[in-house]
Structures are given as C-alpha cells and as structure tokens.
Amino acid sequence: MSSSTRIDLPVAVTEDSLLGGRVRFLQPVNGYRAAVDPVLLAASAPAQDGDRVLDLGCGAGAISLCLLARVPGLTVTGIEQAPEMRDLAERNAALNCVTDRFAPHLGRVEARPPLFEEGAFDLVLANPPYLETDRADLPESALKAAAHVEGEVPLAEWVEAAYRALRHKGRLAMVHRADRLADMLEPIQKRFGGLQIHPVYPKVGRDAKRVIVMARKGVRTPLSLSSGVVLHNMDGSYTPPIAAALDGSALAFGAPL
C-alpha cells in the first residue's frame, strides 16, 4: 500500500492503494484495514476470463478489486452485511471504473436466495473473520469487530454458503489462520473434494500463520498439501513471489509435499 490520505465521509476513511498503485482503495480509519491476506487470496484465486465470482463478506472490496485488476474479464458479486462497508465497496468500484463488473450487495453470508442464485458461480472467495467469539476480545470499533470475530455466523456457515452458490465443479478459495485449519477442513470435507492446502509462512523456519485452502464442488480428488509460500526474507523484505503478487501478478505455490 501507499501512504494514506484521510477523507471525512459518514465513516472516516483513508484512500490507499493496492497492487503498486493499480487499485485505489478507500477503507475505514477505525475498522478492518486490508493487509496482505486478501491480496494473496486474489493473487492465487483460480479465475479466468468469463468466470462469475462471488466474494463472501466482501468488506470494502479489496479481494474483488485486486482480482479484477489481474483478470479483467470477470464479473464479481459481493455480499457484505455492514452497510458502511458495502457503501465503501460501491465507492471503490466507481473509483476504479469497474461498476459494470463488481456489484456489492447488502446481506448476510448465510442468507438464502434471492440474494444470490444457487449454483450461479464458478468461483467463491472468502476471507472470514479469524477469531472465534468465545476466544476473542471484542474491539471497540463495531466495524473492526464484525471483520475479525465470527459472531453469529460460524465458519461452517461460510462453507455452506459457498457450496450453495457454486455450480457443479465450481471452486472455493478461502484464507484463514493456520491454527484454525481443522475448523476449516471439517465442513469443507463434508461438501467438497479436490482440497488443496497452501501454507503461508512468515519466514523460513517459522510455523505457518495463514493457510489458503481451495476445493471443488462435485469432485472426489484426494486432499493435497503444497510446500506453500514464504512471505519474508530474513531481512524482512518480501520474497520475490510475494513481491510480485503484491504488484498484481498471479501467485503460484510450491510443489505438493
């Protein structure tokens, strides 16, 4: 991201940039601030021109906008329960001239149609709240709490919503904390096959802090684990694959273990 410029709207926001300036991005001063995770999910998402994509819990649109910058021929539908964040997503779509390709809607992840048509999407992306309600200290900001703490919608509901939304052989891609991998796999394995687990390591020799999990609806391919990707060199700089992804390139993971 570049340096921020504060802007006073109904929710105080800053204007930042993603992908080396290719994406202009308004986000709240006191709320969820886009970090590396949504950018890496967008960079690794198996998307191609013509795909219909659903961004569950799209927030201000970081994942959607980064994905559209890399694969322009998509159409993306966003679902976001916080009106302030949905409004920012709409502003960001206009700011980046993609209102014809990115449509954020107000609604809850677990909502049934007609919010979104069942089986209508080729790809579902999700960056769910990372913290379980009974293990989290709620932030003072309601927007930040909604982004970081599961609340009334457990992880299994995110997986179920993705399953309903996807067409046969459609794909799910989700980023989450590595220490919640078991919580992810339990509902995903009940509904999906072709699971691919990609660890994201902060540095060589450190335990993974994040995982990106991909799966397919209606297939039975066995689970695979890749060698993942390392975020930082020992001096703290980004490794070449991460630096390229943060500038807008696709992210490929290491070979299967």
Side-chain angles (χ1 to χ4, degrees), residues 141-154:
S141 164
L143 289 179
K144 185 175 289 188
H148 288 277
V149 183
E150 282 184 0
E152 300 175 356
V153 186

PDB file of all heavy atoms in Angstrom, residues 141-154:
ATOM      1  N   SER A 141     -14.284  -0.804  18.010  1.00  0.00           N
ATOM      2  CA  SER A 141     -14.940  -0.466  16.754  1.00  0.00           C
ATOM      3  C   SER A 141     -15.855  -1.601  16.317  1.00  0.00           C
ATOM      4  O   SER A 141     -15.419  -2.754  16.189  1.00  0.00           O
ATOM      5  CB  SER A 141     -13.897  -0.201  15.668  1.00  0.00           C
ATOM      6  OG  SER A 141     -14.485  -0.229  14.382  1.00  0.00           O
ATOM      7  N   ALA A 142     -17.131  -1.287  16.080  1.00  0.00           N
ATOM      8  CA  ALA A 142     -18.078  -2.315  15.632  1.00  0.00           C
ATOM      9  C   ALA A 142     -17.674  -2.870  14.268  1.00  0.00           C
ATOM     10  O   ALA A 142     -17.835  -4.069  14.001  1.00  0.00           O
ATOM     11  CB  ALA A 142     -19.493  -1.733  15.570  1.00  0.00           C
ATOM     12  N   LEU A 143     -17.154  -2.011  13.382  1.00  0.00           N
ATOM     13  CA  LEU A 143     -16.729  -2.475  12.058  1.00  0.00           C
ATOM     14  C   LEU A 143     -15.551  -3.430  12.177  1.00  0.00           C
ATOM     15  O   LEU A 143     -15.477  -4.443  11.481  1.00  0.00           O
ATOM     16  CB  LEU A 143     -16.347  -1.288  11.177  1.00  0.00           C
ATOM     17  CG  LEU A 143     -17.485  -0.400  10.691  1.00  0.00           C
ATOM     18  CD1 LEU A 143     -16.930   0.752   9.851  1.00  0.00           C
ATOM     19  CD2 LEU A 143     -18.494  -1.200   9.874  1.00  0.00           C
ATOM     20  N   LYS A 144     -14.614  -3.125  13.071  1.00  0.00           N
ATOM     21  CA  LYS A 144     -13.465  -3.998  13.248  1.00  0.00           C
ATOM     22  C   LYS A 144     -13.900  -5.319  13.884  1.00  0.00           C
ATOM     23  O   LYS A 144     -13.426  -6.396  13.498  1.00  0.00           O
ATOM     24  CB  LYS A 144     -12.412  -3.320  14.112  1.00  0.00           C
ATOM     25  CG  LYS A 144     -11.132  -4.119  14.258  1.00  0.00           C
ATOM     26  CD  LYS A 144     -10.072  -3.352  15.036  1.00  0.00           C
ATOM     27  CE  LYS A 144      -9.525  -2.186  14.234  1.00  0.00           C
ATOM     28  NZ  LYS A 144      -8.367  -1.547  14.915  1.00  0.00           N
ATOM     29  N   ALA A 145     -14.819  -5.258  14.850  1.00  0.00           N
ATOM     30  CA  ALA A 145     -15.300  -6.483  15.489  1.00  0.00           C
ATOM     31  C   ALA A 145     -15.979  -7.397  14.477  1.00  0.00           C
ATOM     32  O   ALA A 145     -15.768  -8.615  14.474  1.00  0.00           O
ATOM     33  CB  ALA A 145     -16.259  -6.131  16.625  1.00  0.00           C
ATOM     34  N   ALA A 146     -16.800  -6.825  13.606  1.00  0.00           N
ATOM     35  CA  ALA A 146     -17.509  -7.637  12.611  1.00  0.00           C
ATOM     36  C   ALA A 146     -16.547  -8.303  11.645  1.00  0.00           C
ATOM     37  O   ALA A 146     -16.801  -9.416  11.162  1.00  0.00           O
ATOM     38  CB  ALA A 146     -18.498  -6.760  11.845  1.00  0.00           C
ATOM     39  N   ALA A 147     -15.428  -7.660  11.352  1.00  0.00           N
ATOM     40  CA  ALA A 147     -14.460  -8.206  10.407  1.00  0.00           C
ATOM     41  C   ALA A 147     -13.563  -9.254  11.025  1.00  0.00           C
ATOM     42  O   ALA A 147     -13.075 -10.152  10.326  1.00  0.00           O
ATOM     43  CB  ALA A 147     -13.612  -7.074   9.826  1.00  0.00           C
ATOM     44  N   HIS A 148     -13.336  -9.177  12.340  1.00  0.00           N
ATOM     45  CA  HIS A 148     -12.342 -10.040  12.972  1.00  0.00           C
ATOM     46  C   HIS A 148     -12.954 -11.172  13.794  1.00  0.00           C
ATOM     47  O   HIS A 148     -12.263 -12.167  14.055  1.00  0.00           O
ATOM     48  CB  HIS A 148     -11.426  -9.208  13.878  1.00  0.00           C
ATOM     49  CG  HIS A 148     -10.473  -8.337  13.125  1.00  0.00           C
ATOM     50  ND1 HIS A 148      -9.281  -8.790  12.614  1.00  0.00           N
ATOM     51  CD2 HIS A 148     -10.537  -7.025  12.778  1.00  0.00           C
ATOM     52  CE1 HIS A 148      -8.659  -7.816  12.005  1.00  0.00           C
ATOM     53  NE2 HIS A 148      -9.395  -6.727  12.080  1.00  0.00           N
ATOM     54  N   VAL A 149     -14.200 -11.039  14.244  1.00  0.00           N
ATOM     55  CA  VAL A 149     -14.810 -12.012  15.150  1.00  0.00           C
ATOM     56  C   VAL A 149     -16.033 -12.642  14.481  1.00  0.00           C
ATOM     57  O   VAL A 149     -16.863 -11.937  13.897  1.00  0.00           O
ATOM     58  CB  VAL A 149     -15.216 -11.341  16.485  1.00  0.00           C
ATOM     59  CG1 VAL A 149     -15.771 -12.378  17.448  1.00  0.00           C
ATOM     60  CG2 VAL A 149     -14.014 -10.632  17.107  1.00  0.00           C
ATOM     61  N   GLU A 150     -16.137 -13.968  14.580  1.00  0.00           N
ATOM     62  CA  GLU A 150     -17.194 -14.695  13.867  1.00  0.00           C
ATOM     63  C   GLU A 150     -18.598 -14.249  14.231  1.00  0.00           C
ATOM     64  O   GLU A 150     -19.484 -14.200  13.394  1.00  0.00           O
ATOM     65  CB  GLU A 150     -17.063 -16.198  14.155  1.00  0.00           C
ATOM     66  CG  GLU A 150     -15.958 -16.864  13.368  1.00  0.00           C
ATOM     67  CD  GLU A 150     -15.914 -18.355  13.606  1.00  0.00           C
ATOM     68  OE1 GLU A 150     -16.743 -18.879  14.389  1.00  0.00           O
ATOM     69  OE2 GLU A 150     -15.049 -19.009  13.025  1.00  0.00           O
ATOM     70  N   GLY A 151     -18.842 -13.961  15.492  1.00  0.00           N
ATOM     71  CA  GLY A 151     -20.185 -13.555  15.884  1.00  0.00           C
ATOM     72  C   GLY A 151     -21.185 -14.683  15.719  1.00  0.00           C
ATOM     73  O   GLY A 151     -20.939 -15.833  16.114  1.00  0.00           O
ATOM     74  N   GLU A 152     -22.320 -14.368  15.095  1.00  0.00           N
ATOM     75  CA  GLU A 152     -23.397 -15.339  14.973  1.00  0.00           C
ATOM     76  C   GLU A 152     -23.249 -16.271  13.777  1.00  0.00           C
ATOM     77  O   GLU A 152     -24.067 -17.166  13.586  1.00  0.00           O
ATOM     78  CB  GLU A 152     -24.747 -14.606  14.869  1.00  0.00           C
ATOM     79  CG  GLU A 152     -25.080 -13.734  16.079  1.00  0.00           C
ATOM     80  CD  GLU A 152     -26.356 -12.949  15.870  1.00  0.00           C
ATOM     81  OE1 GLU A 152     -26.928 -13.024  14.758  1.00  0.00           O
ATOM     82  OE2 GLU A 152     -26.783 -12.257  16.814  1.00  0.00           O
ATOM     83  N   VAL A 153     -22.237 -16.060  12.945  1.00  0.00           N
ATOM     84  CA  VAL A 153     -22.079 -16.855  11.721  1.00  0.00           C
ATOM     85  C   VAL A 153     -20.792 -17.676  11.824  1.00  0.00           C
ATOM     86  O   VAL A 153     -19.704 -17.166  11.563  1.00  0.00           O
ATOM     87  CB  VAL A 153     -22.038 -15.965  10.465  1.00  0.00           C
ATOM     88  CG1 VAL A 153     -22.036 -16.829   9.208  1.00  0.00           C
ATOM     89  CG2 VAL A 153     -23.226 -15.009  10.453  1.00  0.00           C
ATOM     90  N   PRO A 154     -20.893 -18.944  12.230  1.00  0.00           N
ATOM     91  CA  PRO A 154     -19.686 -19.768  12.348  1.00  0.00           C
ATOM     92  C   PRO A 154     -19.097 -20.088  10.985  1.00  0.00           C
ATOM     93  O   PRO A 154     -19.734 -19.924   9.940  1.00  0.00           O
ATOM     94  CB  PRO A 154     -20.200 -21.032  13.051  1.00  0.00           C
ATOM     95  CG  PRO A 154     -21.644 -21.099  12.689  1.00  0.00           C
ATOM     96  CD  PRO A 154     -22.109 -19.674  12.598  1.00  0.00           C
TER      97      PRO A 154
END
